[in-house]
């Protein structure tokens, strides 16, 4: 049974930091492209960051320089370090896995986590 379980969300003031984790099981984690998405109320789900099997990393312009994605294949876990948080970062954050390179697209995702809420207040 495939599971992606996010943790680490919460409430923080603007300028603060959070670290999200995504624990994966039930599939060969190391061969999958992994990504973080987020969805704010009334908005479409959007890709935030993605990390390839070889460790290459890509970020949305809105978070570049503030967020850092990483993965530990020995622990089947992915992380998202979020610094200098802004109120516009408030959203539900989802962990996602794909066998396709274009894993920043919702339609390319094979597995989703249940999400973890991040709320940034001013």
């Amino acid at each position: 049974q495939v599971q992606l379980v996010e943790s680490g969300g919460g409430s923080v003031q603007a300028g603060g930091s959070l670290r999200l984790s995504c624990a994966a099981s039930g599939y060969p984690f190391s061969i999958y492209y992994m990504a973080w998405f987020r969805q704010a109320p009334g908005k479409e789900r959007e890709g935030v960051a993605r990390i390839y099997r070889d460790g290459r990393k890509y970020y949305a312009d809105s978070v570049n320089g503030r967020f850092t994605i990483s993965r530990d294949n020995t622990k089947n876990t992915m992380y998202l370090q979020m610094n200098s948080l802004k109120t516009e970062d408030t959203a539900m954050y989802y962990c996602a896995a794909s066998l396709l390179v274009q894993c920043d697209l919702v339609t390319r995702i094979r597995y989703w986590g249940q999400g973890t809420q991040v709320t940034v207040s001013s």
Side-chain angles (χ1 to χ4, degrees):
Q1 180 183 357
V2 172
Q3 280 193 311
L4 294 175
V5 181
E6 301 97 333
S7 61
S11 297
V12 65
Q13 288 193 323
S17 299
L18 285 172
R19 188 192 194 206
L20 305 184
S21 298
C22 170
S25 61
Y27 73 98
F29 178 82
S30 63
I31 71 170
Y32 273 68
Y33 299 93
M34 297 296 297
W36 287 98
F37 285 76
R38 67 185 180 187
Q39 188 168 20
K43 294 188 176 181
E44 293 186 353
R45 191 169 298 191
E46 63 175 357
V48 173
R50 62 194 189 275
I51 183 166
Y52 289 176
R53 298 177 295 192
D54 61 3
R56 283 179 292 165
K57 306 172 184 180
Y58 300 91
Y59 299 93
D61 289 343
S62 59
V63 306
N64 196 24
R66 299 187 297 121
F67 290 11
T68 302
I69 190 172
S70 61
R71 66 190 294 168
D72 185 339
N73 290 340
T74 66
K75 297 181 179 180
N76 289 356
T77 302
M78 178 177 65
Y79 305 96
L80 186 67
Q81 178 66 43
M82 306 186 294
N83 297 329
S84 302
L85 283 161
K86 304 177 181 180
T87 55
E88 51 262 44
D89 295 319
T90 295
M92 185 71 79
Y93 282 72
Y94 297 91
C95 170
S98 174
L99 284 171
L100 302 174
V101 171
Q102 305 95 326
C103 58
D104 57 327
L105 301 176
V106 170
T107 54
R108 303 292 185 172
I109 299 302
R110 184 168 187 176
Y111 302 124
W112 291 98
Q114 83 289 348
T116 186
Q117 178 67 37
V118 171
T119 302
V120 185
S121 59
S122 59

